[in-house]
């Protein structure tokens, strides 16, 4: 399948390593308003690909897939344009920054018969999956979950100019992961994100609390901070139930042995490409839309300064 990669920033090399290693994919074009970044990426991977500033200029005959690696606030616009042009879409998380946009994209993909697939590298992480298996086997909801995820981000890229960068770009990982443990829908969210300019233009810490229909509660603290507060990429997870408690922090194996293998992004890209080749139609993405519903409410709460209800996800078409 011939692929157009839209966005050649800091995350692009992680995707490219997986894309060029997959014999099912050929990169036809790299799209970025900064031609230098696109050319550098092409040279790094020895690609014979066009370098163009807009998606429209990459829509040549034979192109089947768009890989959307743009900043989060552009995800919906770029994915919509690609689907409308008849392309399948693989996109970085989040699918969109509002539930309305996310639902519209899902329905557009359904109408056009295209696949719309979202990166869930943390939600699908095999180490985290083993932790979830332990919790589901031994515990019963409702759960109280506390998560700390603090990242030292040396190359902030677009995040330096983005409003609410931690909530928009980092917290969605935890929203994906939480659903592997709590299956009830979220009902309310409260979010406060505080910039920390002394550590950089992108530095901030966010505190998000989410309530769920079964009485479960998630308390998330995330940040783009310095090395002193850094946690493992998957964070530090602590869970309490009525008669059960669990804790996990990489690299400690939840069930007694470490899991090695390909990088999280390479596994994630391969999973998405596998889904492109499935004969069965794409299932209604309840988990993805629930994550966006939580993100939507958290962003609204951060702006409003109070608790905001989490909207129900759209009905399946």
């Amino acid at each position: 399948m011939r692929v157009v990669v839209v966005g050649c920033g800091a995350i692009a090399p992680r995707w490219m390593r997986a894309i060029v290693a997959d014999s099912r994919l050929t990169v036809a074009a790299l799209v970025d308003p900064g031609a230098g970044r696109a050319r550098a990426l092409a040279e790094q991977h020895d690609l014979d690909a066009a370098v163009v500033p807009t998606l429209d200029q990459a829509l040549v005959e034979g192109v089947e897939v768009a890989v959307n690696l743009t900043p989060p606030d552009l995800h919906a616009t770029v994915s919509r344009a690609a689907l409308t042009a008849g392309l399948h879409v693989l996109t970085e998380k989040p699918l969109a920054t509002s539930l309305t946009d996310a639902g519209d994209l899902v329905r557009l993909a359904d109408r056009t018969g295209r696949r719309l697939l979202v990166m869930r590298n943390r939600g699908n992480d095999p180490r985290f999956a083993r932790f979830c298996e332990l919790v589901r086997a031994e515990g019963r909801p409702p759960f109280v979950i506390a998560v700390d995820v603090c990242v030292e981000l040396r190359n902030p890229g677009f995040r330096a100019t983005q409003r609410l960068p931690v909530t928009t770009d980092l917290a969605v990982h935890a929203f994906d992961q939480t659903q592997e443990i709590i299956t009830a829908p979220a009902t309310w969210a409260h979010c406060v994100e505080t910039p920390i300019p002394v550590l950089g233009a992108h530095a901030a810490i966010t505190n998000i609390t989410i309530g769920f229909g079964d009485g479960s509660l998630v308390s998330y603290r995330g940040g783009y901070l310095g090395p002193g507060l850094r946690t493992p990429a998957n964070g530090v997870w602590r869970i309490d139930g009525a008669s059960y408690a669990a804790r996990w922090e990489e690299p400690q194996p939840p069930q007694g042995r470490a899991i090695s293998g390909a990088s999280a992004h390479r596994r994630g890209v391969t999973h998405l490409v596998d889904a492109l080749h499935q004969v069965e139609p794409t299932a209604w993405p309840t988990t993805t839309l629930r994550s966006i519903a939580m993100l939507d409410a958290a962003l609204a709460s951060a702006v409003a300064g109070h608790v905001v209800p989490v909207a129900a996800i759209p009905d399946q078409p």
Side-chain angles (χ1 to χ4, degrees), residues 8 32 41 52 60 74 84 94-96 100 117 122 150 156 163 167 188 192 196 204 206 211 244 258 263 268 273:
C8 300
D32 198 290
L41 195 64
V52 294
V60 296
L74 297 178
T84 300
L95 173 59
T100 297
L117 304 164
R122 298 298 174 203
C150 295
R163 190 164 185 262
T167 304
W188 60 266
V192 176
I196 309 175
T206 190
Y244 177 75
S263 72
V273 177

Side-chain angles (χ1 to χ4, degrees), residues 11-307:
I11 201 66
R14 297 188 190 183
W15 279 76
M16 291 302 299
R17 284 191 288 271
I19 289 171
V20 299
D22 195 316
S23 61
R24 295 170 293 182
L25 304 177
T26 300
V27 179
L30 299 173
V31 179
D32 198 290
R37 291 185 301 188
R39 291 194 187 98
L41 195 64
E43 291 172 3
Q44 180 182 355
H45 295 281
D46 194 26
L47 297 176
D48 182 19
V51 172
V52 294
T54 68
L55 175 60
D56 285 345
Q57 292 171 285
L59 297 177
V60 296
E61 185 177 353
V63 170
E64 299 174 76
V65 183
V67 176
N68 185 357
L69 307 183
T70 58
D73 58 348
L74 297 178
H75 283 183
T77 299
V78 171
S79 293
R80 186 179 297 110
L83 289 168
T84 300
L87 305 184
H88 301 293
V89 174
L90 313 183
T91 180
E92 255 296 346
K93 51 77 189 167
L95 173 59
T97 55
S98 80
L99 183 58
T100 297
D101 282 340
D104 288 346
L105 288 172
V106 170
R107 283 185 285 270
L108 177 58
D110 183 67
R111 288 198 305 271
T112 58
R114 302 295 89 184
R115 300 291 173 96
L116 174 62
L117 304 164
V118 187
M119 173 62 75
R120 295 183 74 253
N121 50 307
R122 298 298 174 203
N124 292 331
D125 186 279
R127 299 173 186 85
F128 184 74
R130 295 182 72 84
F131 175 60
C132 293
E133 288 170 4
L134 175 66
V135 172
R136 290 193 299 263
E138 302 294 334
R140 296 291 181 272
F143 295 115
V144 177
I145 302 178
V147 191
D148 287 313
V149 184
C150 295
V151 177
E152 181 189 11
L153 193 66
R154 298 182 181 181
N155 179 17
F158 66 86
R159 300 171 190 88
T161 58
Q162 186 174 9
R163 190 164 185 262
L164 302 173
V166 180
T167 304
T168 301
D169 191 54
L170 189 62
V172 72
H173 284 307
F175 299 157
D176 285 344
Q177 290 173 298
T178 295
Q179 291 180 81
E180 300 301 314
I181 301 170
I182 301 172
T183 57
T187 56
W188 60 266
H190 184 239
C191 173
V192 176
E193 179 163 331
T194 306
I196 309 175
V198 68
L199 295 179
H202 67 292
I205 192 164
T206 190
N207 289 273
I208 304 172
T209 307
I210 299 178
F212 293 80
D214 65 352
S216 294
L217 190 74
V218 171
S219 175
Y220 171 85
R221 179 172 61 179
Y224 289 131
L225 301 169
L229 294 173
R230 181 176 60 193
T231 70
N234 266 312
V236 179
W237 288 74
R238 288 152 292 173
I239 298 181
D240 271 320
S243 58
Y244 177 75
R247 178 187 175 102
W248 178 54
E249 177 179 353
E250 283 182 315
Q252 301 302 318
Q255 291 190 336
R257 67 182 182 88
I259 300 174
S260 60
S263 72
H265 259 78
R266 183 160 180 174
R267 286 194 307 268
V269 173
T270 300
H271 175 78
L272 299 183
V273 177
D274 288 344
L276 275 180
H277 289 80
Q278 291 174 359
V279 175
E280 299 82 5
T282 304
W284 180 249
T286 301
T287 300
T288 293
L289 291 176
R290 282 182 174 173
S291 292
I292 302 305
M294 286 186 263
L295 174 60
D296 194 355
L299 291 169
S301 173
V303 172
H306 55 69
V307 171

